[in-house]
Amino acid sequence: MSTLLEIKSSVLRQVQNRQSFRRRAETESNMSSQEICQASSSVREDTGDFFDRMRIVLQKQESMQRYWRSESVLNNNTPPPPENIGEHKAAEKLILTKREIEMLYEEILYTLVYRTGAVSSEHVASEEDLFHYLQKVFGVSKSDHDSILLRVKESKAPVYALKVTVVQARNLLAKDANGFSDPYCMLGIMIMQSSKETEEKKERKFSFRKKKDKMEKRSSVRDVLLAKYIQVTEVKSNTLNPAWNENFVFEIDDIHSDQLHLDIWDHDDDVSVAEACKKLNEVSGFKGMGRYFKQIVKSARANGTGGSAEDNADDFLGCLNISINEIPVGGLDRWFKLEPRTSSSRVQGDCHLIIKLITNQRDTALSKKASGSVIHEMLLGQLLQYEHRQTEAEYWNWKGELSKHAFTLMSHHSMQTDLSGLQQAIIKWQAFSKHHQVHTMDYSYLLELLKHIEEQWDPAMCQREQEASLAESFTRFTEYCFLLLKKLRDNFPVLNTTVISRLDFMLRCLGQIHNMQAFKMVCPFNNELHLEIAAVLKKGTLEWYEKIYASLKPAEKNDVEQLRSLVRLADAVHEDVEKCQNIYNKLFVSVVKVDFFSITYRQLEKLVADEVSSVMAEFKGAEPEGTRSTHDIGETLFELYIALNELRRFRDYLPLKDNKSLALSNFHDLFKVSIHTWLQTIHEKTRDRIQRAVEADMLESVDSLSKHSSSAVDVTTCFSQIKQFWAQLAWPDSAEAFVFLSQLSDDMCKAAICYSEAIKRKVDKSHQSAGQAAITEQLCIILNNIEHVRKFMANVLRDLDWKSTETSAEHQGGTEGKQQVQKALSTQIQNIDIDMQREAKNMISHLTEKMIGDIKKYIQHISLSPDSIQNDEAVSPLMKYLDDKLIILSETLVKENLYRVLEALWWLLLKFIIDAVDSNRGVSVEFYGRFYYTLEALVDFFHAEGQGLPMDTLRNGDYRFLEEELRLNKCSTSELIEKYYLDNIKEQRSTEQSKYGRISVKCYYETSEQKLYVEVLHAADLIALDANGLSDPFVIIELCPHHIFPLVKGQRTQVKAKTLHPVYDELFYFSVSSEQCRRKSACILFTVMDHDWLSTNDFAGEAILPMNVIYGLNRPHITGGVKNVQPIVLKLTRPKANVKSILKMLDGRMDKEAQDFVKKLREMEKYMEDD
């Protein structure tokens, strides 16, 4: 800590001991342009190139940050690259053998030949169209197709069956006394034998419940309904909304004419239709079956009719009749409205059924070898290859849309092979995910397939074979995605939202898989997803780095190329980290909870740091640093430092626990020696750039809005770039940063002074050939340049990140360290401001010198003007000259400089007017009045109704002195005397304490008598004027000024011997008019004198009372007159020096009034001098 403070203190002492940047920069400033050019000729390239290169270095980092952090980064239309993972086994799985293709073709032909179900607009009804489509999909010739088709038609037809799921019913009719029912369903296949019966079916509804007489009319029971086709559900007690979810399968004899019939009954007794139906399953032979069917009929009673005990039977709640040939290919899954058996039956409610036609005992080679789900997946895979090739959309956007032909084929096959919704969802996922691994698709569609599996998932419905295939598909897809992530930067480059969206949905697919119940069941021994992904990303990042490193390795192994290759490597890593943080990391964190940025940054940061340390160690060990400090190496080292520093900044985005012990934490130690070289180079290049800027400056405003020239812009731009250099440098060691910062700011101040002097020398040379107007304009522009740089310097010095240095110094050295940094900054800002103000003042003096002769001429014109002319005529030449000049100045000067020039002109004008007045004493009153008018006109001119100089600036000390002298000199003798008494009255009021004592008096004016009564009461604390330490005081009472009271004589009290506290109690009156007493300057003068018997009386003091405070004049009358007036205590004073100016003016006048008044004041002064 002591070492740090010592370094800071030594630098501070150097800064604080410096009185001026000017003196410190004198030696450098005295260099000629030729010497500067010679000094800069040793530099490898010109200054412009240096600053341009440094600017490009900084802009490169800023542009990279801005680009990767903006929304426009994902706005281009480049298509995503093909997904490349190398060799993968998925391609092998898609290729079928010739024999497999032939068997699969036979299977789908078999499906079409024996297809059933009503087709909708979504399906292709034409068998020929479907055959033609299949030939294109499988690439089968016409002859081969005909051969296989013939074989299929000769094969055994499949057995058709109807699969019915009775799900639930709702809003049934209440049949029991409690307001509920106990419903159950009876369902079966009704065989329709003739078209006539079909027509009868349209007019009446069939029911399992038949009247006995109708049953006996049948030739046999079998003609009505076979026992094996009757099924019944469980009874659901006390409900009008029963839920059964029971499955039934019925063999179909004739898919074209058979019907599904369903009754819903309310269970009422112990032996009902439900129990009878169950017993039918135990019957064998026609006779037994007929007997039990008759039992069912006998137990059935009319809906809502009464009867014997035998009539206690189940109540009818409704029925349904569904023709088999009306069931669509995809089956039915909907609510059916319950129908009455006859027109007199009363029913209500709906029943939810799931109905599907299926086939059994399929006579194909493939059906005998593989299950329906395996065959279905094979068929879908074959169709996908063809359909994907036919799509018009980009391959990466294909969402598995199938043509109507393919959809028809898949629908028929899934129905005939009795694939459940879950089985179909699994098969679609397996086929599409396998297809995707060879022919890329849209990941969002794969995500939908996964979600569909999760929605349909029921472990009880999944067979072991399908569990194994599902586990394999999950594993293969996950491995495929991991291979993609390993080559993330190649497969998902940051190009546009399409690519990033694909990555997003791929990660969502992985997350979906690992969160699915199906995955946890079929793949129970998998690692957590985030651990798997983290390991893959680390491997992929290392491979990417090694690839980049190899591609950037320099062909020539020299120091500069090695350093430049490191810069390119750091830039490449920086760009990659920007992508990781701003693009990739958001996806990985939000979707799979993987901190992609932290994983990648820590790995890449360590790899780069190791490489830099290795190269820098070789670089330093090759030869001494001093001999290698060329500008190429220096600039490249600076660029490398900036690149590494930008890379290190990313540690701020790491979690707090991870941002410690990073490899780049102290990388700046490798560049410590190079900093001094960089600072010196920057200083030299800055001076060279300033010289070039001055030489190229045409001393013209850069544009219509600016009033400075090009060199000022170049200089401030140069300083801004230096500020940016320092900001990007961001030296982390506070003590070292303080030293470097002090040196840098010191160099910038030197450069600013150098510029001021260089631009001044330029205008001095140009004055030899330019005219007066051009010179004035050039001087104004240079003055603006200096002001522009001055204001900029104060800001740029504060912006050099002193706050960070200040904070670090406070952290390490406490308040003392912070104050040292603050003092160093304030000292530098103050000194450069003083120096630049001095430069500006010199330029203003240079500018106003050109106007001195003209101003003197116009002042002399005013002085010599005859008294007979008007004041405005005498002043107008000067005002016109100033107006013309200030129009030019206001157009060319900035506001601050205009005020400074106005202040300088004001000072000159006051000086010249004072000189003119001093050289013309004893002249006429009109002379002073003329200059007084001139002074006030100049005040109005320079103030310009608040737009010019403020009044405080104009009415300075010189102005007040001149204004008073002119104002008094233009007054008459009487006016001056009145002014004298008014000043004394003012002085009397402002006196708080007096060493000369005080006097108490009473004054009253009696209007009726036109008399002024004055009573002198007493005095106190008078000064001792005799040798005995006492005085013999008396008081003289006079009414002043005497020209107001010409007929009134003064009066005096008695002498009170040997006392400093005399008591008089004497009353005096003066016969005067109230008009005289009400004059502004009218007053009563009380003069206290010390009576001396052998010499002249001594002056003890005086007090003055203005008459405007006396009762009876401006104050109300008092009953009783002077006796009832309150005493007034006046402090005794002696005349001050401020009245000597009036005395001087009166002394110069020859009239008797002035001479008499001066004589009296001279006597008073004599008394005071003797005292």
Side-chain angles (χ1 to χ4, degrees):
M1 182 64 69
S2 60
T3 305
L4 297 178
L5 292 177
E6 287 173 5
I7 293 174
K8 295 176 185 174
S9 301
S10 64
V11 176
L12 283 168
R13 284 193 296 272
Q14 296 173 18
V15 174
Q16 294 163 6
N17 292 336
R18 176 177 62 82
Q19 297 298 318
S20 170
F21 285 110
R22 169 186 290 278
R23 288 195 294 274
R24 190 180 57 186
E26 282 179 356
T27 305
E28 298 173 358
S29 300
N30 291 332
M31 293 177 63
S32 65
S33 300
Q34 184 178 0
E35 290 172 334
I36 293 175
C37 291
Q38 290 174 352
S40 63
S41 63
S42 61
V43 182
R44 182 178 60 86
E45 57 270 293
D46 59 61
T47 306
D49 288 341
F50 170 79
F51 279 96
D52 286 344
R53 284 194 302 277
M54 293 300 99
R55 176 176 52 82
I56 291 172
V57 167
L58 300 184
Q59 287 181 347
K60 176 182 66 175
Q61 305 297 333
E62 293 174 0
S63 299
M64 192 181 302
Q65 293 178 12
R66 187 166 53 251
Y67 178 74
W68 292 113
R69 297 177 189 182
S70 69
E71 296 180 359
S72 60
V73 66
L74 300 176
N75 286 345
N76 68 71
N77 297 320
T78 307
E83 294 182 351
N84 179 22
I85 60 168
E87 296 183 0
H88 194 53
K89 297 179 180 179
E92 302 174 2
K93 288 286 182 178
L94 290 182
I95 302 175
L96 301 178
T97 64
K98 184 178 180 180
R99 176 57 183 160
E100 287 175 333
I101 291 177
E102 184 179 339
M103 288 191 295
L104 183 59
Y105 193 77
E106 178 191 32
E107 174 72 21
I108 192 60
L109 286 183
Y110 187 88
T111 302
L112 292 178
V113 169
Y114 297 105
R115 71 182 186 276
T116 185
V119 295
S120 65
S121 59
E122 297 178 349
H123 301 91
V124 176
S126 172
E127 187 178 76
E128 289 300 323
D129 288 348
L130 292 173
F131 287 161
H132 181 68
Y133 171 77
L134 280 175
Q135 291 178 57
K136 291 190 292 184
V137 171
F138 285 83
V140 176
S141 65
K142 183 68 169 64
S143 58
D144 290 342
H145 167 78
D146 293 339
S147 174
I148 299 173
L149 180 60
L150 180 61
R151 187 167 68 245
V152 167
K153 290 181 177 180
E154 293 175 351
S155 61
K156 183 181 177 182
V159 175
Y160 295 101
L162 185 67
K163 190 173 183 180
V164 181
T165 301
V166 182
V167 182
Q168 59 184 326
R170 65 188 178 190
N171 302 325
L172 298 179
L173 195 65
K175 291 293 186 177
D176 296 339
N178 60 4
F180 293 100
S181 294
D182 303 318
Y184 65 92
C185 295
M186 181 186 298
L187 63 160
I189 300 300
M190 184 171 66
I191 300 175
M192 306 302 292
Q193 295 180 338
S194 66
S195 58
K196 180 180 179 181
E197 189 172 352
T198 304
E199 292 298 327
E200 293 176 359
K201 178 70 175 72
K202 294 180 181 179
E203 298 176 2
R204 59 181 177 83
K205 298 295 186 296
F206 177 85
S207 174
F208 294 122
R209 183 177 182 180
K210 299 292 181 179
K211 291 183 179 180
K212 183 177 179 181
D213 55 346
K214 292 186 179 181
M215 291 294 294
E216 291 175 351
K217 293 179 181 179
R218 298 289 180 178
S219 58
S220 70
V221 179
R222 187 175 181 85
D223 291 338
V224 181
L225 193 65
L226 298 180
K228 65 178 181 179
Y229 294 135
I230 301 173
Q231 301 286 346
V232 67
T233 65
E234 295 290 334
V235 176
K236 299 297 180 180
S237 302
N238 298 324
T239 180
L240 301 179
N241 300 287
W244 290 288
N245 288 309
E246 296 186 33
N247 299 313
F248 305 96
V249 178
F250 302 96
E251 290 186 5
I252 304 298
D253 289 338
D254 188 345
I255 60 175
H256 300 292
S257 61
D258 288 354
Q259 287 186 339
L260 170 67
H261 182 82
L262 177 141
D263 282 350
I264 300 182
W265 300 84
D266 172 41
H267 179 72
D268 282 335
D269 52 13
D270 294 334
V271 180
S272 65
V273 175
E275 283 75 13
C277 286
K278 289 180 180 178
K279 300 242 179 165
L280 286 177
N281 293 323
E282 303 171 5
V283 176
S284 60
F286 271 8
K287 293 181 181 180
M289 181 196 67
R291 185 171 60 253
Y292 278 97
F293 191 84
K294 290 178 181 179
Q295 176 66 39
I296 295 172
V297 174
K298 290 178 181 179
S299 67
R301 294 293 180 263
N303 189 17
T305 61
S308 63
E310 194 179 272
D311 292 335
N312 266 333
D314 296 346
D315 294 321
F316 179 74
L317 295 177
C319 67
L320 292 174
N321 288 293
I322 301 171
S323 298
I324 302 300
N325 60 2
E326 294 177 358
I327 298 175
V329 174
L332 291 173
D333 183 356
R334 67 181 182 86
W335 288 90
F336 294 87
K337 185 174 181 59
L338 294 176
E339 301 173 354
R341 185 186 57 222
T342 64
S343 59
S344 61
S345 299
R346 188 167 67 90
V347 299
Q348 69 179 37
D350 306 281
C351 184
H352 182 193
L353 301 179
I354 300 175
I355 307 170
K356 184 167 63 171
L357 280 169
I358 62 175
T359 60
N360 295 315
Q361 302 176 23
R362 297 170 63 86
D363 188 17
T364 64
L366 196 55
S367 296
K368 297 172 182 178
K369 289 186 175 182
S371 64
S373 59
V374 173
I375 298 172
H376 197 70
E377 182 181 348
M378 292 171 62
L379 175 60
L380 181 56
Q382 195 69 17
L383 294 177
L384 288 180
Q385 295 182 54
Y386 176 78
E387 291 287 331
H388 200 167
R389 290 194 300 266
Q390 306 306 309
T391 182
E392 295 179 358
E394 297 88 348
Y395 68 91
W396 62 86
N397 279 337
W398 191 55
K399 295 185 177 181
E401 299 93 344
L402 296 179
S403 64
K404 187 182 289 189
H405 295 78
F407 177 73
T408 303
L409 294 173
M410 296 304 298
S411 298
H412 280 292
H413 191 268
S414 62
M415 185 191 73
Q416 293 184 25
T417 52
D418 190 21
L419 296 178
S420 65
L422 173 60
Q423 287 176 314
Q424 292 184 58
I426 291 174
I427 290 169
K428 286 186 72 173
W429 158 253
Q430 292 175 170
F432 275 99
S433 64
K434 193 182 298 181
H435 177 81
H436 168 77
Q437 296 171 43
V438 179
H439 306 289
T440 309
M441 296 174 56
D442 192 325
Y443 281 100
S444 64
Y445 180 68
L446 297 178
L447 181 62
E448 291 177 8
L449 296 180
L450 289 169
K451 290 179 178 180
H452 194 204
I453 294 176
E454 186 70 2
E455 292 170 0
Q456 298 278 337
W457 182 249
D458 183 357
M461 295 180 63
C462 192
Q463 301 173 358
R464 184 177 298 275
E465 176 189 32
Q466 200 156 25
E467 287 182 10
S469 62
L470 182 59
E472 183 183 6
S473 72
F474 283 153
T475 303
R476 287 187 179 276
F477 182 78
T478 303
E479 290 176 353
Y480 174 80
C481 292
F482 287 165
L483 291 174
L484 290 178
L485 290 178
K486 191 176 179 183
K487 297 180 179 294
L488 173 72
R489 296 159 180 86
D490 297 327
N491 290 310
F492 300 100
V494 181
L495 294 174
N496 48 43
T497 52
T498 301
V499 178
I500 300 306
S501 177
R502 286 182 59 77
L503 175 60
D504 181 14
F505 279 104
M506 187 197 77
L507 294 176
R508 291 178 187 274
C509 287
L510 287 174
Q512 179 69 25
I513 289 174
H514 278 254
N515 290 326
M516 290 170 63
Q517 294 296 323
F519 177 78
K520 294 175 181 177
M521 175 179 170
V522 301
C523 301
F525 304 111
N526 275 275
N527 294 327
E528 293 185 20
L529 180 61
H530 69 277
L531 297 178
E532 294 272 11
I533 292 178
V536 170
L537 292 177
K538 288 180 180 179
K539 292 178 183 178
T541 299
L542 179 59
E543 291 181 5
W544 174 85
Y545 176 82
E546 290 174 347
K547 177 182 175 182
I548 292 295
Y549 176 77
S551 65
L552 297 176
K553 196 170 184 179
E556 300 179 10
K557 194 172 184 181
N558 58 62
D559 296 334
V560 175
E561 287 302 319
Q562 276 193 307
L563 291 175
R564 287 176 179 169
S565 69
L566 280 180
V567 171
R568 290 191 290 270
L569 179 64
D571 287 343
V573 170
H574 180 192
E575 182 178 6
D576 187 70
V577 174
E578 285 280 5
K579 297 177 189 176
C580 294
Q581 190 221 348
N582 295 294
I583 308 296
Y584 293 132
N585 194 60
K586 297 175 184 177
L587 295 181
F588 280 87
V589 170
S590 63
V591 178
V592 291
K593 305 299 183 291
V594 173
D595 190 349
F596 182 78
F597 167 73
S598 297
I599 294 171
T600 306
Y601 176 68
R602 290 181 63 85
Q603 186 177 9
L604 290 175
E605 183 260 0
K606 177 68 167 58
L607 292 169
V608 171
D610 291 345
E611 183 62 25
V612 171
S613 298
S614 174
V615 173
M616 293 297 286
E618 296 177 5
F619 182 72
K620 288 184 177 181
E623 54 183 276
E625 177 74 19
T627 61
R628 302 174 62 86
S629 296
T630 64
H631 288 291
D632 275 349
I633 293 177
E635 291 177 20
T636 309
L637 282 172
F638 177 79
E639 187 175 0
L640 177 60
Y641 178 90
I642 294 299
L644 294 175
N645 197 36
E646 287 299 320
L647 189 58
R648 185 181 61 174
R649 289 179 192 271
F650 284 98
R651 66 180 177 177
D652 297 337
Y653 300 102
L654 290 174
L656 187 61
K657 60 184 178 63
D658 292 339
N659 63 1
K660 300 177 182 178
S661 304
L662 294 174
L664 286 176
S665 295
N666 298 313
F667 84 94
H668 63 279
D669 291 337
L670 302 172
F671 298 85
K672 192 179 299 183
V673 178
S674 305
I675 288 290
H676 296 284
T677 305
W678 296 341
L679 295 179
Q680 182 61 31
T681 300
I682 289 174
H683 181 55
E684 293 173 2
K685 299 290 185 180
T686 302
R687 291 177 61 84
D688 194 12
R689 180 169 179 174
I690 288 173
Q691 187 62 34
R692 292 173 182 268
V694 171
E695 291 174 357
D697 197 346
M698 303 301 293
L699 296 180
E700 297 175 352
S701 298
V702 291
D703 54 52
S704 59
L705 299 177
S706 303
K707 296 184 178 181
H708 51 265
S709 61
S710 60
S711 61
V713 177
D714 289 344
V715 170
T716 53
T717 301
C718 178
F719 290 158
S720 293
Q721 290 176 338
I722 294 173
K723 181 191 73 174
Q724 293 175 5
F725 295 164
W726 176 255
Q728 291 294 324
L729 200 64
W731 196 261
D733 187 278
S734 60
E736 295 169 355
F738 180 64
V739 176
F740 299 150
L741 185 55
S742 299
Q743 179 183 342
L744 182 64
S745 56
D746 194 47
D747 289 342
M748 291 173 67
C749 293
K750 289 180 183 179
I753 298 299
C754 175
Y755 168 71
S756 300
E757 296 178 343
I759 196 70
K760 187 171 65 175
R761 287 196 299 269
K762 180 181 180 69
V763 77
D764 288 340
K765 292 179 182 179
S766 65
H767 283 180
Q768 301 173 2
S769 58
Q772 181 66 31
I775 291 173
T776 300
E777 186 174 352
Q778 288 179 354
L779 289 173
C780 290
I781 289 177
I782 291 176
L783 190 57
N784 292 337
N785 288 354
I786 294 174
E787 174 64 15
H788 183 70
V789 174
R790 183 192 72 82
K791 291 169 65 177
F792 187 82
M793 283 300 298
N795 293 326
V796 78
L797 289 176
R798 289 189 182 94
D799 292 342
L800 282 175
D801 199 23
W802 286 86
K803 283 293 182 184
S804 299
T805 306
E806 182 182 310
T807 304
S808 300
E810 183 180 18
H811 181 70
Q812 297 184 10
T815 306
E816 181 184 355
K818 178 181 180 180
Q819 291 175 348
Q820 286 178 339
V821 176
Q822 291 175 340
K823 192 170 184 179
L825 173 61
S826 61
T827 301
Q828 286 189 326
I829 292 176
Q830 181 180 1
N831 286 334
I832 186 59
D833 190 71
I834 291 172
D835 289 338
M836 297 299 289
Q837 291 273 21
R838 185 184 298 111
E839 292 294 332
K841 188 175 181 180
N842 291 338
M843 291 305 302
I844 291 172
S845 299
H846 204 37
L847 179 63
T848 55
E849 282 176 5
K850 309 295 181 183
M851 305 169 64
I852 289 177
D854 292 332
I855 292 175
K856 282 184 176 181
K857 179 179 70 174
Y858 292 115
I859 294 294
Q860 187 178 15
H861 171 78
I862 298 172
S863 177
L864 298 177
S865 294
D867 296 341
S868 60
I869 71 170
Q870 296 294 325
N871 289 336
D872 56 350
E873 293 182 23
V875 176
S876 61
L878 173 63
M879 302 305 292
K880 184 177 185 307
Y881 171 78
L882 291 176
D883 188 57
D884 293 340
K885 283 294 181 183
L886 291 183
I887 288 175
I888 298 174
L889 293 176
S890 63
E891 290 176 351
T892 54
L893 288 174
V894 295
K895 187 176 182 180
E896 295 84 353
N897 283 332
L898 179 61
Y899 286 167
R900 293 191 186 105
V901 173
L902 290 176
E903 288 178 4
L905 286 176
W906 180 245
W907 181 84
L908 282 176
L909 287 166
L910 292 178
K911 178 179 180 299
F912 293 152
I913 294 175
I914 291 172
D915 291 345
V917 172
D918 287 343
S919 61
N920 290 277
R921 291 294 177 184
V923 294
S924 64
V925 173
E926 287 77 11
F927 173 87
Y928 294 106
R930 197 159 52 247
F931 271 109
Y932 188 83
Y933 179 85
T934 301
L935 183 64
E936 293 305 311
L938 289 173
V939 168
D940 291 339
F941 179 81
F942 279 86
H943 183 59
E945 298 181 348
Q947 301 301 313
L949 293 177
M951 283 297 184
D952 293 342
T953 302
L954 292 169
R955 291 173 177 170
N956 55 18
D958 290 340
Y959 166 82
R960 290 194 296 271
F961 169 78
L962 178 60
E963 188 272 341
E964 182 181 22
E965 184 167 0
L966 293 174
R967 176 168 46 80
L968 295 176
N969 272 303
K970 75 183 184 69
C971 295
S972 65
T973 299
S974 297
E975 290 172 340
L976 284 176
I977 293 173
E978 290 182 16
K979 170 65 177 171
Y980 172 84
Y981 284 110
L982 289 172
D983 288 349
N984 274 0
I985 292 171
K986 185 177 180 181
E987 184 65 30
Q988 176 79 45
R989 289 173 176 169
S990 64
T991 301
E992 295 181 359
Q993 301 216 348
S994 174
K995 64 180 180 179
Y996 304 108
R998 58 189 180 276
I999 184 171
S1000 296
V1001 299
K1002 287 183 178 183
C1003 298
Y1004 183 77
Y1005 183 80
E1006 187 60 59
T1007 306
S1008 61
E1009 301 174 3
Q1010 288 197 339
K1011 289 182 180 180
L1012 175 64
Y1013 289 92
V1014 178
E1015 183 178 2
V1016 180
L1017 300 176
H1018 57 269
D1021 298 328
L1022 301 179
I1023 61 173
L1025 294 175
D1026 294 340
N1028 59 6
L1030 298 172
S1031 292
D1032 304 315
F1034 67 94
V1035 182
I1036 301 172
I1037 304 101
E1038 297 177 278
L1039 302 187
C1040 297
H1042 292 301
H1043 64 268
I1044 296 177
F1045 305 98
L1047 301 178
V1048 178
K1049 294 183 179 180
Q1051 302 184 55
R1052 56 182 289 180
T1053 65
Q1054 297 179 0
V1055 177
K1056 301 296 180 180
K1058 298 179 182 180
T1059 180
L1060 300 179
H1061 307 280
V1063 177
Y1064 299 105
D1065 291 328
E1066 298 183 38
L1067 179 65
F1068 305 91
Y1069 69 89
F1070 300 89
S1071 296
V1072 291
S1073 66
S1074 60
E1075 289 77 10
Q1076 289 175 296
C1077 295
R1078 286 190 174 95
R1079 293 281 291 273
K1080 182 178 180 180
S1081 58
C1083 60
I1084 305 173
L1085 180 64
F1086 299 92
T1087 305
V1088 181
M1089 303 293 290
D1090 174 41
H1091 179 74
D1092 284 334
W1093 300 100
L1094 300 178
S1095 61
T1096 58
N1097 296 328
D1098 295 328
F1099 176 68
E1102 67 180 19
I1104 192 167
L1105 177 68
M1107 289 190 183
N1108 59 9
V1109 301
I1110 295 175
Y1111 284 96
L1113 289 171
N1114 293 331
R1115 306 182 72 175
H1117 292 272
I1118 295 178
T1119 305
V1122 71
K1123 294 180 181 180
N1124 294 329
V1125 173
Q1126 291 294 324
I1128 299 174
V1129 179
L1130 301 174
K1131 296 180 179 64
L1132 297 175
T1133 63
R1134 287 187 172 183
K1136 297 286 182 166
N1138 63 343
V1139 302
K1140 289 185 178 180
S1141 60
I1142 297 177
L1143 181 62
K1144 183 178 178 181
M1145 295 174 195
L1146 291 171
D1147 190 27
R1149 299 190 177 188
M1150 296 294 101
D1151 60 284
K1152 184 178 183 301
E1153 183 182 9
Q1155 292 299 315
D1156 290 345
F1157 188 79
V1158 170
K1159 182 179 178 181
K1160 180 182 178 181
L1161 291 181
R1162 295 292 187 199
E1163 291 175 358
M1164 199 73 68
E1165 287 183 355
K1166 183 178 179 182
Y1167 291 145
M1168 289 185 288
E1169 289 173 0
D1170 292 343
D1171 182 54

